[in-house]
Amino acid sequence: GNSVTQMEGPVTLSEEAFLTINCTYTATGYPSLFWYVQYPGEGLQLLLKATKADDKGSNKGFEATYRKETTSFHLEKGSVQVSDSAVYFCALSDQGNYGGSQGNLIFGKGTKLSVKP
Amino acid sequence: IAGITQAPTSQILAAGRRMTLRCTQDMRHNAMYWYRQDLGLGLRLIHYSNTAGTTGKGEVPDGYSVSRANTDDFPLTLASAVPSQTSVYFCASSATISTDTQYFGPGTRLTVL
């Protein structure tokens, strides 16, 4: 079945460091790919998405490119801030595997990022 | 605009008790979802609803039931809670079942003793 694998955390970085959180997926069909962010004590928020191969999603300085050839959707940011400390979830849409009747998101296990000043 | 609200924020419950987690959205979204979040497991889908009046089972439906009497509300009921249902529960919605982007509520932290 479809699945998402992301790098295990926690990841601890100093402010202004470069961030990469790896995400790879297994899927049939052509899923959309997402990164969600969960700040402490809050629900998940959509950070960015890409709906087809070679699309680049971007938001708040974060970027991720949909790589079909490597089945990857790695999250990157050039210079992290303390306010980026959160848990990041990679996800794919599971549509099309249930006759279009279930808009399920398949999530990775999450990567906790801590940014130190 | 509130988006999605969930109640209660947290709850401690004795095993065997019945509990209903409430979820309300004001975005007029057709599709709604319940997930549970467990450490090391990410989020897993419990139940979903394509539109008012219809519901379906997700990955981990056992021990849970849902109803969708109208567009805005999607309550999740634990008929007889067990300790393994200790988790953080998130409600989400999307414009339609085929719309990718889902919007999440703030979550309910449930502890079953």
Side-chain angles (χ1 to χ4, degrees), chain B residues 2-78:
Chain B
I4 297 181
T5 57
Q6 293 184 236
T9 302
S10 65
Q11 182 74 45
I12 299 174
L13 189 66
R17 298 297 295 269
R18 179 184 180 89
M19 176 72 192
T20 295
L21 308 185
R22 300 185 297 278
C23 174
T24 300
Q25 52 104 356
D26 63 3
M27 297 176 282
R28 306 303 294 171
H29 283 173
N30 283 317
M32 297 187 75
Y33 314 83
W34 274 105
Y35 293 88
R36 60 177 289 174
Q37 182 181 27
D38 301 292
L39 193 64
L41 295 176
L43 280 80
R44 295 177 292 169
L45 183 69
I46 305 171
H47 285 288
Y48 66 95
S49 169
N50 291 358
T51 188
T54 69
T55 63
K57 294 181 179 181
E59 180 184 356
V60 288
D62 294 343
Y64 306 95
S65 63
V66 292
S67 61
R68 188 88 184 277
N70 56 61
T71 297
D72 298 343
D73 301 301
F74 190 44
L76 176 74
T77 296
L78 289 66

Side-chain angles (χ1 to χ4, degrees), chain A residues 15 37 39-40 62 77 80-86 88 113 115:
Chain A
E15 208 165 22
V37 58
Y39 297 104
F62 291 88
K77 185 174 185 181
V80 294
Q81 305 301 312
V82 173
S83 58
D84 293 326
S85 298
Y88 293 81
L113 170 67
V115 181

Side-chain angles (χ1 to χ4, degrees), chain A residues 3-7 19-26 31-36 46-59 62-76 88-93 106 111:
Chain A
S3 65
V4 173
T5 302
Q6 60 182 104
M7 62 186 290
L19 169 70
T20 299
I21 301 178
N22 290 337
C23 172
T24 57
Y25 68 91
T26 301
S32 296
L33 301 175
F34 306 83
W35 278 100
Y36 278 83
L46 178 66
L47 181 60
L48 54 85
K49 64 182 281 189
T51 58
K52 61 183 187 296
D54 299 325
D55 266 3
K56 177 185 285 187
S58 61
N59 186 27
F62 291 88
E63 293 183 342
T65 301
Y66 191 141
R67 300 289 189 197
K68 191 168 178 62
E69 64 276 13
T70 55
T71 62
S72 65
F73 193 55
H74 305 321
L75 182 67
E76 296 182 337
Y88 293 81
F89 292 91
C90 185
L92 65 81
S93 63
I106 304 293
T111 302

Side-chain angles (χ1 to χ4, degrees), chain A residues 32 34 36 38 41-46 49 51 87 89 93 95 100-110, chain B residues 33 35 37 40-45 48 50 57-59 88 90 97-107:
Chain A
S32 296
F34 306 83
Y36 278 83
Q38 184 179 30
E42 299 183 11
L44 279 72
Q45 303 174 26
L46 178 66
K49 64 182 281 189
T51 58
V87 181
F89 292 91
S93 63
Q95 297 169 23
S101 63
Q102 179 181 343
N104 190 20
L105 287 178
I106 304 293
F107 286 89
K109 296 181 179 181
Chain B
Y33 314 83
Y35 293 88
Q37 182 181 27
L41 295 176
L43 280 80
R44 295 177 292 169
L45 183 69
Y48 66 95
N50 291 358
K57 294 181 179 181
E59 180 184 356
V88 181
F90 288 100
I97 198 68
S98 58
T99 304
D100 286 325
T101 303
Q102 294 183 15
Y103 299 87
F104 285 78

